[in-house]
Amino acid sequence: MVATHSRPDLMSAIEDMGYRITQPRRDVIGLLDTKPDGFGAEEINEALPAVGRATVYRTIRLLLDVGVICKLVMRDGSTKYSLARVEHHHHLVCVRCGTVEEFSDSTIERLVRAIGVEVSGEILGHRIEFDIICKSCLDSAI
Ligand SMILES: [Zn+2]
Ligand SMILES: [Zn+2]
Ligand SMILES: [Zn+2]
C-alpha cells in the first residue's frame, strides 16, 4: 500500500480537459481542500452562499466528470465529495468518525486487470472502498 501525496495540479487538470477555471470551480475546490474527509453537497452549498445552488450542483458534477473530486457513498447511504489528491486511488473510510484516506495498490490493479480479461464487455472503471475503524478511533475506544 502506497501512502498518497497531494496532487498539486488539480487546477491544470481542469484546464487540460478543456474547461476554464471559473470562480465557482475555484471556490468548491478551495473549500474541499480545507477538509480531507469531504463535504456533502448540501454542506458545500451552505458554505458557499455567494455561489447559487444550481451552480454548486453543476460544478460538483463537472469536477466529478473531470476526475478532480471523488464521490463517496457512506455506510448510511449519504454521499460526500472529497478532492482527488492522487489520480487513481481507492478509499479507506472510517465508519466511526468518517475520516477518508486515499491509497493506491499495485496488487489491486493487477487483480482488476486479470478480472478484466474474463469480463465479456468493456470495463470503464472500478471503485473500491474499505469500511474501517481508523487507528485513532481504535485508540480512543480503549
Ligand atoms: Zn478519492
Ligand atoms: Zn475514525
Ligand atoms: Zn484501482
Side-chain angles (χ1 to χ4, degrees):
M1 213 177 272
V2 179
T4 59
H5 29 108
S6 198
R7 190 172 153 204
D9 58 341
L10 288 174
M11 296 293 181
S12 50
I14 295 175
E15 289 185 313
D16 290 349
M17 296 286 284
Y19 298 100
R20 281 184 315 119
I21 298 169
T22 60
Q23 195 56 45
R25 290 169 194 170
R26 195 186 295 277
D27 288 346
V28 171
I29 289 175
L31 177 72
L32 290 175
D33 201 24
T34 63
K35 202 167 123 197
D37 304 348
F39 288 89
E42 221 22 66
E43 285 177 281
I44 297 173
N45 190 43
E46 277 162 29
L48 300 173
V51 183
R53 185 192 199 84
T55 306
V56 165
Y57 280 81
R58 255 201 321 275
T59 303
I60 290 172
R61 176 134 303 283
L62 176 103
L63 297 177
L64 267 181
D65 288 347
V66 175
V68 164
I69 62 174
C70 305
K71 182 180 184 172
L72 294 151
V73 180
M74 312 308 282
R75 267 193 146 192
D76 62 5
S78 64
T79 51
K80 287 210 293 190
Y81 300 91
S82 68
L83 280 192
R85 287 167 200 279
V86 288
E87 240 160 294
H88 179 78
H89 61 268
H90 302 293
H91 298 111
L92 305 168
V93 183
C94 177
V95 301
R96 292 236 178 110
C97 68
T99 296
V100 178
E101 252 184 85
E102 298 181 335
F103 74 95
S104 35
D105 188 299
S106 58
T107 309
I108 289 179
E109 301 312 321
R110 269 201 302 279
L111 178 66
V112 165
R113 278 196 297 276
I115 293 169
V117 172
E118 290 166 31
V119 172
S120 57
E122 189 190 355
I123 296 177
L124 300 176
H126 61 271
R127 280 175 296 278
I128 300 175
E129 274 172 41
F130 291 92
D131 295 332
I132 64 163
I133 296 173
C134 75
K135 183 78 171 59
S136 66
C137 283
L138 280 178
D139 288 349
S140 66
I142 298 167

